[in-house]
């Protein structure tokens, strides 16, 4: 039974209500619940509800038929929405949590966070304290692991959720975590529930492998009764006679719990099935059954994982799963939740570059129109508010940076499907005073964009950059009657439709271009291969002879460098250069040869390398390379984008 007290109830009247209930055999617990202050009364007491309702300071009395009250739909009919920073769970959205089973190293969690974020995960998961069945198995990195995870989450704009295994650790971990996870093995660790509930943070409560739904809801009741308002339930498979899968995913628990409780329910398909190939179908089934989200284990190299490798998805599988969820969401009346990704505050980027170049301009230049992918990259690096100059050609970007009207520029140098953007490599050679100072990789998702009234049937003409057509070949092949019209830039193609307002013309471009011109996205994600990335570099004026220290786009010291050179036309000359890298332990991440214009059958090599931590080694390497090459251009040193 729940007694809701009036807002202004006096201490005296409250005490009278307590005494009234206790005298009639109830155990009571008082707490705030949303806006209200309530008293939950449990036990076998007998009371006249009308009489209780007439006591001074009592607003209303709700009798519940269940042993749990605060979690019950009888107490609150509308869905609870749990908020963790920018993330919401519950209501008409699907929120996806992803990350490794355990944090294994700073690099592993950073890399995983970047990959799952790119695919649309909004919360980062990872165990720092792992309750393992065997005492000899990896137990987690502890507080160090939590620090790594927090930093990785901040870098990607993702709050973090991590398992807490004891009341003492809950206090220690409180400042570093955004949401606590109570693991399946601890679902009925009541001291832990009370402690974690009292900290007031959102909690993800896993269902115990042998717990009934009622026991699970009673554990959630402990959390709410101890003080937190935000609990998300997580079905992660229960123990049955079936041994093929690690556990048995109780799909029917989703609609059952949603009927019994107002709390959001998500599903962990990874621990439920325990087999990588079965995770995605189980995840989709959970969404179809009404789950408010998922928590999925993802590892960049599952074969090397220290725990739960066999059930961890590789990032590409997770990417595909997210696309399937996005396609399925409207069927269940929901939308996949996306949260904004962090960008460097403009002022920080400007200051960093201005400190190097002494530039007083604050604008950043890009080639194309509003909504172009280069503008997306620019906003990611310098902030949405960054003042910008758009140019009609790539050389326009170099000119703006050189003449000082822009303090930096953003140009594409490589696409993962189409290869290098040679025009820009050639511009670096023509503009020796311009250097690469930062790098950024942008996922390219193409959409079919048209007028509000356009449909797939009304379209006869499609406009885009030839790259847009090439990257959406499979989709376009399904519409052989469409006439393709090439444009200079994908955003320019979209702008032309906005001007003409015709329903028979559509464009292939990014979602941002549709938004910029108020047009409709008819189909999203039409690129043939979803692993479609473009590498942009940030350019600024070179200072002195040496490569400029890059602005802290990401962090600290440069770890990647690019250069272009040619080699003498004699046996072993390229080998001699590669030998320098090999002997100094320098990793070569790109090597490409290109014809030199005006010199038939002579070639330039485009090279990217990783810079080792001891940078004095690197300076020696550069000197050695200069002595073995003919035309050496150091394009810049910068922080590699993940
Ligand atoms: C986990 O999510 O890392 C975990 C250990 O899950 P469970 O408690 O469901 O076994
Ligand atoms: Mn795990």
């Amino acid at each position: 039974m729940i007694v809701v007290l009036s807002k202004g109830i006096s201490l005296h009247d409250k005490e009278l209500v307590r005494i009234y209930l206790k005298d009639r055999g109830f155990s009571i617990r008082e707490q705030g619940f949303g806006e209200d202050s309530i008293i939950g009364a449990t036990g076998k007491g007998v009371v006249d509800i009308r009489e209780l309702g007439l006591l001074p300071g009592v607003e209303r009395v709700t009798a519940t038929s269940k042993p749990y009250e605060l979690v019950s739909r009888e107490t609150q009919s509308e869905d609870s929405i749990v908020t963790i920073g920018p993330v919401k769970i519950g209501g008409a959205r699907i929120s996806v949590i992803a990350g490794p089973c355990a944090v294994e190293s700073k690099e592993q969690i950073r890399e995983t966070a970047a990959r799952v974020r790119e695919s649309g995960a909004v919360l980062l998961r990872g165990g720092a304290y792992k309750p393992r069945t065997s005492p000899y198995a990896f137990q987690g990195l502890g507080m160090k692991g939590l620090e790594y995870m927090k930093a990785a989450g901040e870098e990607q704009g993702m709050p973090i959720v991590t398992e807490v295994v004891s009341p003492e650790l809950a206090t220690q971990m409180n400042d570093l975590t955004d949401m606590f996870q109570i693991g399946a093995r601890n679902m009925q660790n009541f001291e832990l529930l009370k402690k974690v509930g009292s900290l007031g943070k959102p909690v993800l409560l896993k269902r115990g492998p042998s717990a009934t739904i009622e026991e699970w809801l009673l554990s959630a009741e402990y959390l709410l009764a101890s003080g937190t308002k935000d609990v998300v339930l997580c079905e992660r498979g229960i123990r049955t006679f079936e041994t093929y899968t690690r556990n048995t995913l109780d799909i029917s628990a989703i609609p059952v719990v949603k009927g019994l409780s107002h709390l959001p329910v998500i599903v962990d398909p990874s621990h439920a099935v325990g087999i990588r190939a079965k995770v995605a179908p189980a995840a989709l089934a959970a969404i179809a059954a009404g789950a408010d989200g998922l928590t999925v284990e993802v590892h960049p190299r599952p074969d090397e994982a220290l725990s739960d490798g066999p059930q961890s998805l590789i990032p590409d599988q997770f990417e595909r799963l997210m696309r399937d969820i996005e396609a399925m969401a409207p069927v269940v009346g929901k939308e996949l939740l996306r949260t904004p990704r962090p960008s460097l505050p403009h002022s920080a980027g400007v200051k960093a570059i201005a400190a190097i170049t002494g530039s007083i301009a604050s604008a950043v230049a890009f080639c194309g129109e509003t909504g172009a992918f280069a503008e997306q990259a620019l906003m990611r690096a310098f902030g949405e508010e960054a003042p910008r100059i758009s140019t009609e050609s790539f050389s326009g970007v170099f000119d703006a940076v050189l003449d000082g009207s822009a303090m930096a520029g953003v140009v594409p140098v490589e696409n993962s499907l189409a290869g290098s953007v040679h025009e820009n490599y050639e511009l670096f050679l023509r503009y020796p005073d311009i250097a690469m100072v930062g790098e950024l990789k942008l996922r390219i998702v193409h959409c079919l964009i048209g007028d509000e009234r356009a449909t797939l049937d009304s379209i006869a003409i499609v406009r885009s950059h030839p790259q847009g057509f090439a990257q959406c070949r499979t989709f376009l092949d399904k519409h052989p009657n469409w006439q393709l019209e090439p444009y200079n830039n994908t955003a320019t193609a979209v702008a032309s439709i906005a001007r003409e307002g015709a329903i028979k013309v559509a464009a292939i471009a990014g979602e941002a271009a549709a938004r910029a011109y108020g047009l409709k996205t008819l189909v999203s994600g039409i690129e043939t291969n979803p692993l479609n990335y473009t590498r942009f570099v940030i350019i600024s004026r070179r200072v002195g002879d040496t490569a400029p220290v890059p602005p802290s786009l990401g962090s600290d010291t440069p770890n990647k460098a690019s250069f272009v050179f040619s080699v003498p036309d004699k046996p072993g000359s390229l080998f001699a250069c590669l030998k320098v890298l090999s002997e100094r332990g320098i990793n070569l991440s790109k090597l490409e040869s290109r014809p030199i214009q005006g010199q038939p059958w002579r070639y330039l090599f485009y090279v990217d390398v990783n810079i080792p931590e001891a940078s004095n080694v690197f300076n020696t390497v550069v000197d050695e390379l200069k002595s073995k090459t003919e035309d050496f251009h150091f394009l810049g040193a910068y922080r590699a984008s993940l």
Side-chain angles (χ1 to χ4, degrees):
M1 182 172 61
I2 300 284
V3 183
V4 181
L5 305 173
S6 326
K7 295 230 161 28
I9 186 171
S10 68
L11 287 177
H12 175 260
D13 287 347
K14 204 187 268 181
E15 190 54 25
L16 284 184
V17 178
R18 289 167 165 279
I19 295 170
Y20 182 93
L21 290 166
K22 276 195 185 149
D23 284 353
R24 284 160 182 77
F26 287 98
S27 313
I28 60 167
R29 178 173 278 275
E30 188 192 332
Q31 73 158 88
F33 191 63
E35 295 267 275
D36 297 321
S37 174
I38 62 171
I39 291 183
T42 46
K44 295 206 177 5
V46 182
V47 74
D48 180 338
I49 289 195
R50 283 169 308 171
E51 191 180 290
L52 175 59
L54 291 174
L55 291 185
V58 172
E59 182 138 319
R60 79 191 124 84
V61 181
T62 321
T64 57
S65 56
K66 305 286 183 317
Y68 41 80
E69 291 170 347
L70 302 176
V71 306
S72 170
R73 266 223 197 266
E74 293 180 12
T75 311
Q76 179 186 312
S77 57
E78 67 280 10
D79 287 342
S80 274
I81 311 244
V82 167
T83 304
I84 312 113
V87 176
K88 289 196 186 318
I89 306 183
R93 55 179 75 71
I94 295 166
S95 315
V96 179
I97 306 172
C101 177
V103 182
E104 298 167 2
S105 68
K106 194 170 170 179
E107 294 69 35
Q108 171 248 16
I109 189 71
R110 268 189 91 207
E111 183 179 355
T112 315
R115 294 298 301 271
V116 298
R117 187 64 167 137
E118 193 69 41
S119 302
V122 290
L123 261 164
L124 179 64
R125 63 144 288 146
Y129 293 91
K130 296 301 301 173
R132 305 299 299 280
T133 306
S134 161
Y136 308 115
F138 175 61
Q139 307 282 314
L141 297 183
M143 289 306 282
K144 203 85 239 120
L146 192 52
E147 279 163 25
Y148 295 155
M149 182 158 62
K150 180 81 183 150
E154 271 169 8
E155 196 173 12
Q156 298 298 332
M158 303 167 93
I160 62 168
V161 51
T162 193
E163 177 161 359
V164 56
V165 292
S166 76
E168 300 72 43
L169 281 170
T171 319
Q172 276 185 47
M173 294 163 76
N174 197 25
D175 285 347
L176 281 175
T177 189
D178 302 297
M179 184 182 208
F180 281 115
Q181 175 171 315
I182 304 276
R185 290 156 196 81
N186 272 315
M187 188 204 84
Q188 285 189 312
N189 181 339
F190 300 115
E191 289 311 310
L192 180 64
L193 294 173
K194 284 194 260 181
K195 175 70 197 176
V196 171
S198 76
L199 295 172
K201 281 253 162 85
V203 185
L204 181 65
L205 178 67
K206 294 263 189 122
R207 178 181 182 182
S210 309
T212 63
I213 287 175
E214 186 164 298
E215 286 164 340
W216 183 20
L217 291 176
L218 278 164
S219 290
E221 185 81 6
Y222 259 96
L223 289 166
L224 288 185
S226 310
T228 182
K229 295 193 310 309
D230 295 312
V231 174
V232 176
L233 298 165
C234 179
E235 159 63 41
R236 44 77 74 204
I238 51 173
R239 193 162 278 197
T240 67
F241 54 81
E242 180 53 65
T243 55
Y244 190 89
T245 48
R246 182 172 175 181
N247 291 287
T248 298
L249 176 57
D250 185 3
I251 286 279
S252 56
I254 305 161
V256 170
V257 173
K258 289 199 78 73
L260 293 173
S261 172
H262 52 84
L263 296 177
V265 183
I266 70 161
V267 165
D268 172 349
S270 311
H271 291 90
V273 300
I275 306 164
R276 185 176 309 132
K278 313 291 179 220
V279 169
L284 292 171
I287 297 300
D292 296 300
L294 299 169
T295 173
V296 184
E297 285 185 345
V298 179
H299 195 290
R301 287 163 295 280
D303 295 346
E304 297 168 17
L306 298 180
S307 65
D308 285 348
Q311 70 192 33
S312 299
L313 296 187
I314 57 169
D316 294 356
Q317 288 174 312
F318 179 68
E319 163 74 27
R320 236 161 289 150
L321 170 62
M322 291 297 277
R323 284 181 170 239
D324 288 346
I325 294 170
E326 195 154 25
M328 195 157 150
V331 180
V332 288
K334 293 183 181 167
E335 205 180 340
L336 182 66
L337 174 73
R338 302 226 175 243
T339 53
R341 297 181 58 176
S343 47
L344 196 75
H346 178 55
S347 56
V350 169
K351 261 199 226 139
I353 295 188
I356 302 162
T357 60
S359 165
I360 46 165
S362 67
V364 185
F366 73 101
C367 170
E369 298 204 30
T370 304
F373 288 114
E375 192 191 36
Q376 296 292 300
L378 184 159
M379 291 194 288
R380 183 82 68 80
F382 294 97
E384 309 230 328
E385 306 303 320
R388 55 203 87 148
I389 297 173
S390 66
T391 66
E392 279 177 21
S393 62
F394 290 133
S395 60
V397 177
F398 282 73
D399 283 334
V401 175
L402 193 65
D403 71 22
S405 46
M407 148 304 273
V410 176
V411 290
V413 286
E414 191 171 2
N415 175 270
S416 61
L417 300 179
S420 293
V421 182
H422 298 294
E423 188 182 342
N424 280 327
Y425 272 96
E426 275 146 25
L427 284 167
F428 278 108
L429 306 186
R430 265 182 37 211
Y431 289 76
D433 290 335
I434 300 286
M436 295 180 176
V437 294
E439 179 191 64
L440 205 119
K441 289 186 194 126
L442 194 72
R443 170 139 170 254
I444 305 294
V445 177
H446 285 300
C447 302
L448 188 72
I449 296 165
D451 185 84
E452 194 55 46
R453 297 158 299 142
T455 63
L456 283 183
D457 292 333
S458 73
I459 291 166
I461 298 170
V462 179
R463 296 174 179 162
S464 189
H465 186 276
Q467 275 290 341
F469 295 138
Q471 292 169 21
C472 302
R473 193 75 268 159
T474 310
F475 175 79
L476 289 172
D477 283 349
K478 289 190 204 131
H479 301 277
N481 297 330
W482 289 353
Q483 187 191 325
L484 307 183
E485 287 185 3
Y487 267 64
N488 269 351
N489 178 288
T490 54
T492 316
V494 177
S496 75
I497 295 170
R499 274 195 305 274
E500 294 164 20
I503 62 163
K504 62 171 196 166
V505 194
I508 292 177
E511 180 98 56
R515 274 199 303 276
Y517 296 98
L519 294 177
K520 182 169 86 174
T521 296
L522 289 128
V523 195
S524 147
I526 56 170
E527 64 280 14
T528 304
N529 191 329
L531 298 178
N532 187 12
Y533 295 87
T534 295
R535 236 182 99 213
F536 289 86
V537 289
I538 293 156
I539 59 173
S540 80
R541 246 184 329 188
R542 199 184 284 274
V543 180
D545 251 6
T546 51
V549 182
S552 46
L553 290 157
S555 65
D556 32 68
T557 41
N559 59 1
K560 186 171 174 184
S562 300
F563 30 81
V564 174
F565 57 71
S566 59
V567 291
D569 189 14
K570 60 175 203 238
S573 53
L574 176 62
F575 174 74
C577 298
L578 299 182
K579 192 158 164 267
V580 170
L581 299 176
S582 162
E583 281 176 353
R584 299 282 180 179
I586 304 261
N587 184 41
L588 179 74
S589 53
K590 169 174 177 162
L591 175 64
E592 184 177 356
S593 69
R594 281 282 297 164
I596 302 176
Q597 284 178 12
Q599 297 183 40
W601 326 126
R602 297 292 316 276
Y603 299 88
L604 273 176
F605 293 98
Y606 298 171
V607 174
D608 286 351
V609 295
N610 300 118
I611 305 180
E613 296 232 333
S615 60
N616 51 341
V617 174
F618 188 65
N619 294 339
T620 318
V621 168
V622 172
D623 288 342
E624 285 178 5
L625 283 176
K626 278 184 184 161
S627 72
K628 297 195 171 0
T629 55
E630 285 194 332
D631 194 10
F632 187 90
H633 303 265
F634 191 89
L635 304 185
Y638 47 89
R639 192 83 197 164
S641 142
L642 283 169

